[in-house]
């Protein structure tokens, strides 16, 4: 807890992640992959302060638990770890750090318990996306998780194939300074050009 004087994080290695709920509108689905991608992008970019205020408000309201049903899925994009600060990698300089092949051990104590049924973490290293999936083994089998990841990879590849055929960059409302613009209004403006 924020006000717990006994909580000592001075020897903590890593970073704290902001957790907040997001409801995604998935009505477009695989029939309109690009439109679905834009909808998700718009939703995530419109979360105020990248969700930082959610935990603070929950704490200030005196709640120990988040209101509403527990999350069934958590997603954490850790970032792009391929770029060297200052553009050194692009200039041919060696990266100051590389990823070890050695096991780093458990990242979370086994006593901590699960916060959701399915946890997905992603990062980019050397231009390649890697996804790590953690799941409740009491609810899902390894075979089910493998089927899920295979289906995910197929959908992602289909989306990338579609995007590779595009010849122009597509702006979405959050790319512009006027945040009150809808996707439909932006499409109408583009058609007028």
């Amino acid at each position: 807890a924020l006000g717990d004087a006994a909580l000592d994080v001075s020897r903590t290695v890593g970073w704290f992640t902001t957790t907040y709920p997001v409801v995604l509108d998935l009505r477009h689905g695989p029939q309109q992959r690009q439109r679905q991608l834009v909808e998700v992008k718009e939703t995530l970019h419109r979360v105020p302060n990248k969700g930082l205020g959610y935990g603070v408000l929950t704490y200030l309201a005196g709640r120990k638990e988040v209101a509403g049903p527990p999350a069934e899925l958590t997603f954490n994009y850790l970032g792009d770890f391929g770029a060297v600060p200052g553009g050194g990698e692009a200039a041919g300089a060696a990266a100051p750090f590389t990823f070890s092949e050695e096991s780093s051990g458990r990242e979370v104590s086994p006593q901590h318990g699960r916060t959701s049924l399915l946890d997905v973490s992603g990062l980019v290293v050397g231009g390649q996306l890697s996804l790590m999936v953690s799941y409740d083994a009491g609810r899902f089998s390894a075979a089910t998780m493998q089927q899920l990841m295979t289906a995910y990879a197929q959908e992602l590849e289909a989306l990338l194939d579609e995007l590779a055929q595009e010849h122009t960059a597509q702006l979405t409302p959050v790319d512009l300074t006027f945040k009150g613009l809808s996707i439909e209004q932006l499409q109408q403006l583009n058609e007028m050009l």
Side-chain angles (χ1 to χ4, degrees):
L2 291 173
D4 189 351
L7 185 63
D8 179 11
V9 295
S10 63
R11 296 180 50 102
T12 301
V13 176
W15 58 86
F16 294 99
T17 301
T18 303
T19 303
Y20 54 91
V22 176
V23 176
L24 299 174
D25 181 351
L26 301 176
R27 76 179 110 176
H28 299 289
Q31 300 80 18
Q32 298 178 31
R33 285 183 184 95
Q34 291 184 43
R35 174 61 189 264
Q36 188 61 67
L37 178 64
V38 169
E39 291 285 352
V40 170
K41 174 188 171 185
E42 287 291 309
T43 300
L44 294 177
H45 281 274
R46 290 175 190 256
V47 172
N49 299 316
K50 297 182 180 182
L52 182 61
Y54 181 78
V56 172
L57 290 174
T58 301
Y59 173 76
L60 291 175
R63 294 186 183 144
K64 292 193 185 245
E65 297 296 324
V66 175
E72 293 184 359
L73 168 69
T74 58
F75 182 82
N76 187 10
Y77 176 64
L78 301 169
D80 186 342
F81 289 82
V84 176
E89 188 173 286
F97 301 102
T98 59
F99 282 88
S100 171
E101 298 295 324
E102 301 296 321
S103 171
S104 60
R106 288 187 174 269
E107 295 175 6
V108 178
S109 168
Q111 287 83 25
H112 178 61
R114 298 201 57 80
T115 57
S116 63
L117 296 177
L118 187 66
D119 297 307
V120 180
S121 292
L123 61 109
V124 175
V125 177
Q128 183 173 350
L129 174 67
S130 294
L131 293 176
M132 290 72 64
V133 177
S134 170
Y135 59 92
D136 183 345
R139 300 275 307 263
F140 303 108
S141 69
T144 299
M145 287 297 103
Q146 185 58 51
Q147 288 174 341
L148 174 68
M149 294 311 294
T150 299
Y152 181 85
Q154 290 170 345
E155 281 299 314
L156 185 57
E157 288 173 8
L159 175 62
L160 292 172
D161 288 343
E162 283 182 28
L163 293 173
Q165 295 173 16
E166 292 292 320
H167 299 291
T168 58
Q170 293 184 20
L171 291 177
T172 67
V174 297
D175 295 323
L176 307 172
T177 57
F178 181 60
K179 302 297 185 202
L181 194 64
S182 72
I183 294 171
E184 289 76 17
Q185 290 169 324
L186 181 59
Q187 286 174 335
Q188 290 173 353
L189 288 173
N190 282 329
E191 290 169 5
M192 293 170 61
L193 296 176

